[in-house]
Amino acid sequence: MISDQPAEKPSVADDGVVEVHTSIDSAQLAVLRNVAATLTMDAGFTVDSVEDARLLVDEVCSTLIRNAERGAQLSCRFRADDRFYLHAQATASPDAVVDRSSWSWRIMSTLADTLISWTNANPGQPTTLHIEATKASDGCP
Amino acid sequence: MTEGPDHLGLSKQAEHQEYAQFAEDFHEFAALSPENPRYERLREKLVREHMPLAEHIAMRFRHRGVQLEDLRQVAMLGLINAVDRFEPDRGNDFLAFAVPTIMGEVRRYFRDAGWAMRVPRRLQELHLNLGKAIDELSQRTGRAPRADELAEYLGIELGEVRRGLEAGSAYRADSLNSPVGGTTESDSQAVSDTIGEQDTNIEDVELRETLQPLLADLPERERRILTLRFFGNLTQSEIARKIGLSQMHVSRLLAQSLKQLRERIYG
């Protein structure tokens, strides 16, 4: 993958990736949840982990939606093999940050095995807020 | 779907004539004040005489995963509402008013009970069977099953499992629109007690201050599930076993509670 902004390159590999771009609208959450559920179910995740993946998508995307700029787009990359990968991003205000002591973070970090969030601010370009999470198929890290 | 009496499959003419005799009663009833002793008597008569209508509507909705007796009661409630609210001076006949009113009551009942009317009965049954299978399998193996294990256990195709579980999300999407329901458990533990039980690790004062009152507003069962998942780090299946609900039920309550908290914290 060609990228001149290494930090923006998500660690989600390209094989079997499903990408969904939606408007900033909580009504789209159902679609995003279902993508996660279908992928994880087919990848042989336990029902517990499938449901956790759903909740995780809900929380990650709600967090981005809250922080997103007006008219922004929410972009999600999903993949599931022995782990579920989610990378989501949206254009946000330059001071946007996901608070590590928030309830949201508590939920996401409980549901996911790994969780990171960062912002990408390049001069002259809109700031993007990113959240990336992974989760094992059997619920054990 | 039109909801006129014609669609009830009744013999339309006969039905209308049969009920037409009550037109005068309705006029009289509408003019009476509730304090008048005749009011109750007339109301009772009108409800009693139209009971076959409520019964008929209840029968139409049977075999949809709820008890016929419950349906009858809900339809009766709809009928009583219709009798109370009918305005004969507006020129409509009672049937044209009562049928949609009773159907509306039954629909609301289904909505509150969780099942969207659009989920076919076969899928609902599949969904219920999956719920049982999930609990039986996790009982046996000590962990939540995968979709392929469910397919093998129930002797159905993997695609069926997926559709059955997806029927569950339709169910959930609907129940998400209603507020989190109360609990029947009479567990009166204080929030601090429940949370204390789990070692919440909420060191952050601000989060604790925000969260405590919101958790306190949740019904005890929902609060307990949330606490066990997010502070006790138990899986959904473990929580299900601990509090005696199905994994699917825990999953649904968890999604509802999280949505409710999200709306209240972040607006």
Side-chain angles (χ1 to χ4, degrees):
Chain A
M1 182 190 232
I2 303 161
S3 171
D4 54 4
Q5 296 157 18
E8 192 144 14
K9 186 191 170 195
S11 55
V12 180
D14 279 348
D15 304 347
V17 163
V18 173
E19 274 197 46
V20 182
H21 304 277
T22 78
S23 52
I24 296 295
D25 179 359
S26 328
Q28 304 293 344
L29 288 175
V31 176
L32 301 170
R33 278 197 298 267
N34 286 340
V35 172
T38 304
L39 289 176
T40 50
M41 219 183 284
D42 287 355
F45 279 46
T46 64
V47 289
D48 277 352
S49 300
V50 171
E51 291 309 314
D52 279 352
R54 263 179 190 285
L55 295 177
L56 183 60
V57 167
D58 234 9
E59 203 57 43
V60 165
C61 294
S62 299
T63 304
L64 287 172
I65 287 173
R66 274 200 301 278
N67 284 286
E69 292 270 84
R70 228 171 217 290
Q73 229 192 15
L74 175 65
S75 301
C76 299
R77 290 162 63 83
F78 302 88
R79 188 159 69 95
D81 37 48
D82 58 329
R83 306 184 74 77
F84 170 63
Y85 300 85
L86 167 69
H87 170 259
Q89 68 173 84
T91 312
S93 71
D95 57 351
V97 66
V98 182
D99 181 0
R100 302 294 192 269
S101 63
S102 64
W103 172 235
S104 244
W105 188 265
R106 153 78 67 169
I107 297 170
M108 292 188 283
S109 56
T110 306
L111 294 169
D113 301 330
T114 68
L115 176 70
I116 47 170
S117 164
W118 70 97
T119 48
N120 225 332
N122 290 304
Q125 283 186 10
T127 304
T128 45
L129 181 62
H130 301 248
I131 301 177
E132 194 178 286
T134 73
K135 175 166 189 65
S137 60
D138 58 358
C140 305
Chain B
M1 171 163 53
T2 354
E3 297 186 349
D6 320 7
H7 291 264
L8 285 172
L10 305 173
S11 155
K12 196 168 81 180
Q13 287 301 330
E15 197 74 15
H16 274 258
Q17 269 160 24
E18 193 187 324
Y19 287 121
Q21 55 176 311
F22 300 111
E24 269 179 46
D25 287 335
F26 272 114
H27 271 102
E28 187 190 349
F29 179 66
L32 284 173
S33 124
E35 283 85 53
N36 192 316
R38 177 135 177 82
Y39 179 91
E40 269 309 317
R41 251 181 300 150
L42 203 50
R43 183 177 187 241
E44 202 184 304
K45 177 189 175 190
L46 288 169
V47 170
R48 192 177 57 239
E49 297 294 341
H50 288 89
M51 264 166 66
L53 182 66
E55 172 76 16
H56 197 101
I57 291 174
M59 292 299 280
R60 271 194 45 157
F61 286 90
R62 73 194 187 281
H63 299 319
R64 297 217 198 193
V66 301
Q67 296 291 318
L68 181 59
E69 197 42 51
D70 292 349
L71 279 177
R72 283 200 179 107
Q73 285 184 17
V74 173
M76 273 299 289
L77 195 68
L79 173 61
I80 294 170
N81 282 341
V83 167
D84 287 347
R85 301 207 321 256
F86 179 55
E87 297 175 39
D89 294 339
R90 293 184 140 210
N92 276 331
D93 72 0
F94 179 68
L95 279 196
F97 177 74
V99 170
T101 305
I102 298 170
M103 298 258 255
E105 198 68 48
V106 174
R107 284 227 167 76
R108 189 167 324 119
Y109 173 75
F110 272 96
R111 200 165 58 229
D112 294 348
W115 282 115
M117 302 296 266
R118 64 173 184 275
V119 178
R121 186 182 154 226
R122 197 186 56 77
L123 267 186
Q124 292 181 22
E125 279 172 0
L126 179 59
H127 181 74
L128 293 176
N129 288 336
L130 280 167
K132 267 184 251 154
I134 287 171
D135 295 334
E136 282 160 14
L137 280 173
S138 51
Q139 198 80 45
R140 192 186 290 179
T141 61
R143 62 160 177 83
R146 302 184 305 266
D148 60 296
E149 292 169 323
L150 288 166
E152 197 193 324
Y153 184 72
L154 291 171
I156 57 176
E157 299 288 315
L158 195 56
E160 282 286 285
V161 172
R162 192 201 279 170
R163 278 165 58 200
L165 292 174
E166 275 165 5
S169 349
Y171 179 117
R172 183 172 339 197
D174 264 30
S175 43
L176 277 178
N177 294 328
S178 50
V180 175
T183 168
T184 48
E185 288 161 38
S186 58
D187 192 341
S188 59
Q189 264 181 317
V191 194
S192 49
D193 292 350
T194 331
I195 293 183
E197 173 195 337
Q198 291 310 323
D199 181 19
T200 53
N201 295 324
I202 311 186
E203 276 141 26
D204 189 85
V205 179
E206 216 174 305
L207 174 60
R208 199 168 54 217
E209 295 294 302
T210 315
L211 211 51
Q212 295 276 26
L214 297 178
L215 287 176
D217 281 352
L218 287 176
E220 170 58 29
R221 189 178 54 179
E222 277 83 338
R223 188 193 314 143
R224 187 135 183 256
I225 292 172
L226 207 70
T227 312
L228 289 168
R229 183 70 191 90
F230 293 105
F231 298 107
N233 214 4
L234 265 61
T235 65
Q236 294 187 5
S237 295
E238 287 165 348
I239 297 170
R241 271 196 297 277
K242 196 176 170 92
I243 64 178
L245 291 175
S246 69
Q247 182 269 348
M248 278 182 171
H249 200 164
V250 167
S251 177
R252 192 160 63 238
L253 293 174
L254 206 51
Q256 281 177 2
S257 306
L258 284 180
K259 182 168 189 275
Q260 195 184 7
L261 284 181
R262 192 155 62 224
E263 279 164 1
R264 297 204 46 195
I265 296 178
Y266 302 105

